[in-house]
Amino acid sequence: TVFATTSNSYSTDICNSVIAIAGTPDFQYLEENDIDINHHDSGEDFVCEMDGFTVPIFGTDEQMEELRKLLNEGELISAETTIAVTNEEFMLTEDGVNAGVVLPP
């Protein structure tokens, strides 16, 4: 697999902020990964800002819709809201580079 989550670690890190990004699909990524372009949600995407870098936040469709709802209701404030994530929630590339945060079920 290209991605794996970390394990055997229980420390907690903080997303310094959760940033909402206007939803513009990356058509090249969708095509390269055989994702049906017509069924891609073009709503906001979210990234976790950590110590000078950002990584995407991944979740179920329901979780991402909940983030969008919180954003639209003003409870999630882009570039201000923080979340705590454990190391198990980080997605790593095969080279061990942080590729994103996976929201827990």
Side-chain angles (χ1 to χ4, degrees):
T1 69
V2 175
F3 297 106
T5 56
T6 63
S7 60
N8 300 325
S9 178
Y10 298 98
S11 67
T12 300
D13 290 311
I14 300 289
C15 286
N16 295 332
S17 67
V18 175
I19 302 171
I21 300 174
T24 303
D26 181 343
F27 292 111
Q28 180 178 353
Y29 171 83
L30 296 174
E31 185 176 312
E32 289 173 357
N33 291 283
D34 293 325
I35 299 171
D36 186 357
I37 293 171
N38 295 320
H39 290 98
H40 179 71
D41 178 16
S42 60
E44 294 87 1
D45 291 318
F46 297 88
V47 296
C48 169
E49 177 194 15
M50 300 186 74
D51 299 325
F53 66 94
T54 60
V55 293
I57 296 175
F58 299 99
T60 64
D61 290 342
E62 293 81 16
Q63 289 171 318
M64 300 309 288
E65 282 304 315
E66 181 68 17
L67 286 175
R68 291 181 188 108
K69 178 182 171 193
L70 293 170
L71 176 70
N72 292 327
E73 292 175 350
E75 292 185 43
L76 185 154
I77 300 172
S78 183
E80 289 185 24
T81 299
T82 63
I83 59 173
V85 292
T86 64
N87 285 351
E88 282 104 19
E89 295 160 347
F90 288 112
M91 188 185 315
L92 302 178
T93 65
E94 291 176 350
D95 298 332
V97 175
N98 186 352
V101 172
V102 180
L103 296 175

